[in-house]
């Protein structure tokens, strides 16, 4: 099954990118995510996902492939 949904964010790309990289601001918007500590570089927290009778919990340091702005990454 493939789900597709798109929308337009009415702010400049750089402003939206800064908001998406703001861990403490974004985590409350992700169901099951919690941030225990964030020092500006390293985050500690967990994510719990439930799908029917199955529950998966992940605890540990997240990783990111790139923090480069999409404006420069896609050029």
């Amino acid at each position: 099954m493939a789900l597709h949904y798109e929308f337009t964010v009415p702010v400049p790309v750089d402003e939206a990118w800064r908001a998406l990289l703001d861990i403490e601001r974004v985590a409350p918007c992700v169901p099951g995510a919690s941030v225990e500590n964030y020092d500006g570089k390293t985050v500690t927290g967990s994510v719990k996902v439930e799908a029917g009778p199955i529950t998966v919990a992940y605890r540990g340091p997240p990783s990111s492939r790139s923090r480069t702005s999409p404006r420069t990454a896609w050029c």
Side-chain angles (χ1 to χ4, degrees), residues 2 5 9 14 19 26-27 29 33 43 52 55 64 70:
Y5 181 79
V9 178
D14 294 330
V26 171
C29 301
V43 64
T55 300
S64 173

Side-chain angles (χ1 to χ4, degrees), residues 36-50:
E36 295 167 9
N37 186 35
Y38 180 60
D39 64 10
K41 188 172 183 181
T42 304
V43 64
T44 304
S46 62
V47 175
K48 181 179 177 181
V49 178
E50 295 181 25

Side-chain angles (χ1 to χ4, degrees), residues 51-68:
I54 299 170
T55 300
V56 177
Y58 175 78
R59 182 176 184 76
S63 63
S64 173
R65 290 184 181 199
S66 174
R67 293 179 63 94
T68 305

Side-chain angles (χ1 to χ4, degrees), residues 13-42:
V13 171
D14 294 330
E15 185 178 338
W17 192 247
R18 278 192 305 275
L20 289 171
L21 292 178
D22 186 342
I23 299 295
E24 292 171 316
R25 213 167 138 189
V26 171
C29 301
V30 179
S34 67
V35 174
E36 295 167 9
N37 186 35
Y38 180 60
D39 64 10
K41 188 172 183 181
T42 304

